[in-house]
Amino acid sequence: MDIASLFDDVKRMNKRQFLYQVLSFGMIVSSALMIWKGLMVVTGSESPIVVVLSGSMEPAFHRGDLLFLTNYPDEPVRVGEIVVFKVEGRDIPIVHRVLKLHERENGTVKFLTKGDNNSVDDRGLYAPGQLWLTKRDVVGRARGFLPYVGMVTILMNEYPKFKVWF
Amino acid sequence: MHSILQRGNAILAYTLSVLACLTFVCFASTVLLNYRTHADLNTVKVVVYVVLWDKIILRGENAVLDFKNMNTKYYFWDDGNGLKGNNNITLTLSWNIIPNAGLLPNIFAHGSHSFQFPVDYTTSRM
């Protein structure tokens, strides 16, 4: 199938039909955006669905597992919870467990995390000079789990040729 | 008359536009009202949660834990000097369950153990 025949369908359409196709495509894109933004509002997290990209939480989470996050401000972070956080200077969020946590009476917290599969805590991963994470760094708390589904994104990131198939 | 699907479509479209209007109104109202700042109560009182020990039990492994004379797996530190002479140290047990797929519950065991740390450091091995 060459490219010329790909647009034959488009050529046969009249203006109205073409416009209708464009509109329904826009509808699909905008509803996907709406679902994502709606999830952001419902869960309070800036990215409510996250793919685990490293093996640092094995045997709980493997690469390519999908996590659903919530981040309600009135729900306190507790020790032993699995949090997803972003560190300045790294664009990939990290999924690790809370190891130590200090909470002041006014509700501000600072905490230290560690991956289940790592032998040391995460101070080496944080930004230089950063000893604790605060609520600002948190993307969300892991609430739901779906294995293997995120493998598609990992494949697409690591083998860009795979993307051409779609 | 219109079919059920057409009526449903009309209702959905109408709901969507009303929702969009409401969202905008809510957004505008928060922009207008959110000028209040929260006073920072600069209290020193701090609650500290520290993990002392953990263990991963895989599916099918023995889940009956019976340990004696164990050392802590992680250092019992806090970020300051709140441990010395602290009269409310509470030990609790909690666990996460990682299912095949589904929710990730965080469960606290019944019961806990409280004790105090002495005001002075010990000079000899206990």
Side-chain angles (χ1 to χ4, degrees):
Chain A
M1 190 163 144
D2 59 334
I3 294 171
S5 65
L6 202 76
F7 292 105
D8 270 1
D9 279 339
V10 181
K11 273 180 201 157
R12 250 179 275 128
M13 280 190 268
N14 63 29
K15 216 178 244 172
R16 235 167 234 263
Q17 281 170 325
F18 180 73
L19 214 65
Y20 185 71
Q21 291 298 317
V22 171
L23 270 181
S24 49
F25 180 73
M27 198 66 194
I28 290 169
V29 172
S30 60
S31 45
L33 187 81
M34 247 167 75
I35 290 172
W36 182 251
K37 293 280 174 191
L39 268 178
M40 273 169 80
V41 171
V42 171
T43 60
S45 166
E46 58 180 283
S47 100
I49 296 173
V50 148
V51 177
V52 179
L53 292 171
S54 79
S56 62
M57 280 299 276
E58 282 177 25
F61 304 138
H62 297 82
R63 297 191 70 215
D65 291 351
L66 212 68
L67 293 180
F68 295 92
L69 313 179
T70 63
N71 194 16
Y72 302 121
D74 50 335
E75 222 172 52
V77 186
R78 282 290 167 260
V79 136
E81 265 187 333
I82 298 156
V83 294
V84 180
F85 56 91
K86 259 186 185 157
V87 175
E88 265 177 68
R90 287 170 186 266
D91 38 340
I92 300 172
I94 305 174
V95 184
H96 279 177
R97 198 183 290 278
V98 179
L99 189 68
K100 292 171 194 285
L101 182 138
H102 292 243
E103 188 179 69
R104 282 181 181 274
E105 215 171 42
N106 59 11
T108 57
V109 290
K110 58 176 185 178
F111 56 93
L112 178 67
T113 54
K114 176 183 170 297
D116 285 358
N117 204 19
N118 296 352
S119 50
V120 288
D121 59 48
D122 287 348
R123 290 231 162 99
L125 293 174
Y126 299 163
Q130 187 182 11
L131 294 178
W132 302 91
L133 293 177
T134 57
K135 246 186 179 152
R136 262 184 321 137
D137 305 306
V138 177
V139 175
R141 268 72 73 65
R143 284 297 133 87
F145 169 69
L146 206 63
Y148 307 121
V149 181
M151 221 59 216
V152 187
T153 27
I154 288 188
L155 279 176
M156 279 206 234
N157 279 331
E158 280 173 17
Y159 307 99
K161 275 184 187 165
F162 185 71
K163 232 186 258 184
V164 182
W165 295 358
F166 292 102
Chain B
M1 252 333 255
H2 299 292
S3 73
I4 291 181
L5 280 179
Q6 278 171 323
R7 289 186 208 180
N9 190 16
I11 290 173
L12 262 179
Y14 180 64
T15 328
L16 263 181
S17 46
V18 169
L19 264 180
C21 275
L22 270 179
T23 318
F24 182 74
V25 171
C26 288
F27 169 74
S29 65
T30 46
V31 166
L32 292 176
L33 293 178
N34 240 356
Y35 278 119
R36 284 168 290 174
T37 50
H38 294 277
D40 201 46
L41 301 163
N42 201 11
T43 46
V44 217
K45 210 172 180 185
V46 170
V47 191
V48 181
Y49 300 87
V50 181
V51 174
L52 294 181
W53 173 86
D54 64 8
K55 182 180 171 59
I56 297 170
I57 302 173
L58 295 177
R59 199 167 284 116
E61 280 181 7
N62 182 19
V64 180
L65 304 175
D66 188 5
F67 295 114
K68 273 170 192 152
N69 291 325
M70 286 184 15
N71 291 322
T72 60
K73 192 168 160 187
Y74 305 108
Y75 292 116
F76 197 171
W77 278 343
D78 85 328
D79 188 47
N81 45 14
L83 288 180
K84 199 174 128 187
N86 192 319
N87 56 6
N88 182 19
I89 308 280
T90 307
L91 301 178
T92 57
L93 176 72
S94 74
W95 60 89
N96 289 120
I97 300 169
I98 314 287
N100 282 330
L103 296 175
L104 298 167
N106 195 9
I107 301 165
F108 280 86
H110 294 296
S112 61
H113 176 71
S114 293
F115 63 97
Q116 321 184 337
F117 270 134
V119 182
D120 300 311
Y121 290 115
T122 52
T123 47
S124 59
R125 269 188 90 89
M126 298 277 278

